[in-house]
Amino acid sequence: MDGAATRDLLARAMAWHDDDPDPRTRAELAELVGRAHAGEADALDELDDRFAGTLQFGTAGLRGAIGAGSNRMNRAVVMRAAAGLCAYLARIVPGVPRIVVGFDARHDSDVFARDTCAVAVGAGCHARVLPRPLPTPVLAFAVRHLGADAGVMVTASHNPPQDNGYKVYLGGRAAGGPGDGVQIVPPADAAIAAAIAAVGPVLQIPLADDGWDTLDDGLLADYLDRATRVVHAGGPRTVSLVLTPMHGVGGDCAVRALRAAGFAEPYVVPQQAAPDPEFPTVAFPNPEEPGALDLALAAARERGADLVIANDPDADRCAVAIPDPTAGGGWRPLRGDELGGLLAAHVLSRGTPREVDGEPATVACSIVSSQLLGRIAAAHRVRHVETLTGFKWIARTPGLVFGYEEALGYCVAPTLVRDKDGITAALLAAELAALLIARGRTMAAALDDLARAHGVHVTDQLSIRVADLSLIAKTMRGLRAAPPDRLGGAVVTEVDDLLVAGADLPPTDGLRWRTADGVRVVVRPSGTEPKLKCYLEAVVPLAADADDAMLRQARALAGRRLAAVRGELAAQLDG
């Protein structure tokens, strides 16, 4: 960095410092600037990263590390976001805009929620805040239940401890139809971002000292009452459950919901039961990450449980692990696509309306999720739709009765929550397990049934983490210019650039390839982390009367095909 660039960076840092409402981050920034002035290269690099643009709404809203600077989550960024959101609502909503705010137990979540309410009331809005740290699905429910025009959830979901985030939902008079109560999409996200950019100095944003309403537990009781209705009354309830909320805010809600639905109280992993923003027992508080379920699996083995259920820290995701004698330790976590197929088949087998709000009953998944859902939908004669990645797209599907994405997100009750909901997904998983137990069957056997009915679908994923985000754009340009002509030894028969809008999808930064032997690859940048992600699926046809040996052979063949493709992509992309 040359002298002029350094002086400009330091000037921007001090301008931010002088407009920062938080004494903690002001002191943090002053210390960094002082070290940079003293010639410390690492301090200058840190400042450069902190002011490398402004956090933008991505797949899951604003999300980033907590700290001072425009490229971090802090009170100044949150207050500007709240002021921009209120200005946007004031333009499109007649009368007084209504906002409801929720927060989890991460560092500063309560502070950011209070700041949002203070800005909203100062801007002339009516604001309500949830009574304490609660799951994201409760906030998503509150948007529609309370007739709010917007909802804000302060959470970084399953990100590392140093992160926080800011999800925005529109509803009420700000969004109607399938978009009511769903996270923002274009053009609203761009309009809100423009309103945020137009906000003046943070210290000049009007702030109220009070005037917002703190909701009581009646809202949670309403959510739980509706949530328990996702399971059918009078069905089997005998199932032994181990539950982990992974140091998040979903434990109490999940236990209360399971009890209210008639299940025995689950065993809650004690080391992970209480909310803890440091997430001390896991490297990453994400049920998908290796090792994240180790404590729950150990408890399940010790107790002879039938099922492990895990929620991520804000409880919008749900993971399940099942007994499997062929797996190490006798248990294995289900992939998101496996649980998605099981839950979809279960929902559709219970019977669904032919129409929802005048639209054909529809199941939906993201373009990176398994093609199995389409096969299941065809068998049940319901419409199947693929959407862009993220529940902000899945949940606004007209006629939705079930939606999922491979990253452990499930919408099993769209009339309750138009977003992924780990609490209701846990209820449905418990119901399915109990039903299978009553029939003398297992989840593994149910997966075998799906394979015999619809073919073997095996999925995998490859993630390339980068320190420099520009490398992702460079790699995507290279893949567009020279896509592979063979993958895993098979000819690539189809190349789709998802930046070119299709009949059913708006443009998105992604590539999709198909091979002659039934492999599909989707490559896209992550919307929440500095990663390039590759989603792999191999499909092998299987006869309906295939025996266990034939099923094992088909799965092994699919696995070999995926391993070959994964190895080739890893070598190419890591290089």
Side-chain angles (χ1 to χ4, degrees):
M1 186 180 299
D2 61 27
T6 298
R7 288 191 296 273
D8 175 69
L9 175 59
L10 293 176
R12 284 187 287 125
M14 286 310 300
W16 185 277
H17 168 278
D18 294 342
D19 192 38
D20 191 338
D22 189 341
R24 294 176 305 164
T25 45
R26 277 203 311 273
E28 180 184 311
L29 200 52
E31 188 264 343
L32 267 176
V33 169
R35 287 170 50 206
H37 271 301
E40 293 188 27
D42 60 339
L44 196 61
D45 290 342
E46 177 70 12
L47 283 174
D48 189 43
D49 183 60
R50 287 172 182 247
F51 289 93
T54 303
L55 287 183
Q56 299 293 322
F57 286 109
T59 301
L62 297 174
R63 194 174 292 184
I66 297 172
S70 60
N71 197 31
R72 294 289 188 271
M73 280 295 297
N74 50 63
R75 292 184 63 199
V77 164
V78 165
M79 289 165 66
R80 290 180 65 86
L85 173 62
C86 292
Y88 169 78
L89 293 174
R91 287 201 304 269
I92 67 168
V93 170
V96 177
R98 301 185 292 260
I99 297 177
V100 60
V101 181
F103 58 102
D104 66 7
R106 282 182 176 266
H107 292 299
D108 285 343
S109 285
D110 56 341
V111 176
F112 295 159
R114 187 188 186 282
D115 282 341
T116 299
C117 291
V119 170
V121 173
C125 299
H126 177 216
R128 295 177 172 180
V129 63
L130 270 55
R132 62 182 181 279
L134 287 170
T136 292
V138 178
L139 182 278
F141 165 76
V143 175
R144 299 176 74 212
H145 186 64
L146 300 176
D149 301 309
V152 170
M153 182 67 194
V154 182
T155 179
S157 191
H158 59 282
N159 273 38
Q162 64 268 23
D163 288 1
N164 213 326
Y166 202 79
K167 293 183 180 181
V168 175
Y169 299 76
L170 293 180
R173 297 163 296 176
D180 183 10
V182 187
Q183 290 186 57
I184 57 173
V185 297
D189 57 354
I192 294 171
I196 293 170
V199 173
V202 175
L203 294 181
Q204 293 180 17
I205 296 174
L207 294 177
D209 293 326
D210 53 32
W212 55 89
D213 299 327
T214 299
L215 296 161
D216 59 25
D217 277 353
L219 173 74
L220 180 58
D222 290 341
Y223 165 79
L224 291 172
D225 175 63
R226 295 275 302 279
T228 56
R229 300 181 200 175
V230 304
V231 298
H232 282 190
R237 295 292 188 267
T238 301
V239 58
S240 173
L241 303 172
V242 168
L243 171 72
T244 174
M246 208 153 289
H247 302 293
V249 296
D252 177 65
C253 287
V255 170
R256 289 175 61 178
L258 287 163
R259 281 201 317 240
F263 296 98
E265 183 157 336
Y267 176 81
V268 181
V269 177
Q271 302 96 318
Q272 298 175 331
D276 187 333
E278 290 298 318
F279 309 109
T281 68
V282 291
F284 287 91
N286 181 351
E288 289 183 295
E289 292 288 338
L293 296 183
D294 284 356
L295 289 173
L297 296 177
R301 286 190 289 269
E302 181 181 338
R303 301 177 65 83
D306 300 309
L307 197 69
V308 167
I309 295 175
N311 290 127
D312 68 340
D314 69 327
D316 64 350
R317 300 182 187 220
C318 178
V320 160
I322 62 172
D324 183 348
T326 68
W331 280 77
R332 75 173 182 93
L334 295 182
R335 287 190 172 274
D337 287 312
E338 290 178 311
L339 184 56
L342 288 171
L343 294 183
H346 180 50
V347 167
L348 295 178
S349 68
R350 298 188 313 177
T352 60
R354 302 312 302 172
E355 289 190 354
V356 177
D357 295 331
E359 295 282 346
T362 303
V363 296
C365 64
S366 64
I367 56 173
V368 300
S369 300
S370 175
Q371 298 160 95
L372 175 60
L373 183 62
R375 308 280 178 90
I376 294 171
H380 288 272
R381 298 182 180 180
V382 301
R383 185 170 64 179
H384 169 245
V385 170
E386 285 188 324
T387 76
L388 297 184
T389 304
F391 264 83
K392 63 185 181 182
W393 298 106
I394 295 170
R396 63 184 63 239
T397 301
L400 187 67
V401 295
F402 173 85
Y404 97 95
E405 63 180 359
E406 48 72 42
L408 305 179
Y410 308 94
C411 179
V412 304
T415 59
L416 175 71
V417 172
R418 298 195 72 83
D419 198 358
K420 55 186 177 290
D421 181 350
I423 305 298
T424 50
L427 286 167
L428 202 65
E431 180 185 52
L432 174 58
L435 183 65
L436 289 167
I437 289 169
R439 295 173 178 172
R441 293 179 59 75
T442 65
M443 288 273 211
L447 285 170
D448 291 346
D449 292 343
L450 289 178
R452 290 187 174 97
H454 309 294
V456 166
H457 291 66
V458 176
T459 57
D460 198 0
Q461 191 177 130
L462 171 66
S463 294
I464 308 296
R465 184 177 289 273
V466 299
D468 181 358
L469 286 175
S470 68
L471 294 176
I472 291 179
K474 179 181 178 181
T475 301
M476 292 298 291
R477 286 195 300 270
L479 293 173
R480 283 191 168 90
D485 55 10
R486 300 182 75 87
L487 283 170
V491 174
V492 174
T493 58
E494 186 177 321
V495 176
D496 295 325
D497 186 347
L498 301 179
L499 267 180
V500 179
D504 300 319
L505 290 173
T508 187
D509 189 8
L511 297 164
R512 181 170 55 201
W513 309 316
R514 298 182 191 272
T515 70
D517 63 353
V519 171
R520 184 196 66 178
V521 176
V522 179
V523 183
R524 60 177 285 272
S526 171
T528 58
E529 299 175 273
K531 290 180 178 179
L532 186 68
K533 303 186 82 170
C534 305
Y535 303 85
L536 319 176
E537 181 172 30
V539 180
V540 175
L542 190 69
D545 60 351
D547 59 24
D548 289 347
M550 296 169 68
L551 178 55
R552 286 194 298 271
Q553 290 169 2
R555 283 185 172 140
L557 175 59
R560 288 195 299 272
R561 289 174 178 171
L562 282 193
V565 172
R566 193 180 195 280
E568 287 183 11
L569 288 173
Q572 179 180 356
L573 299 178
D574 276 336

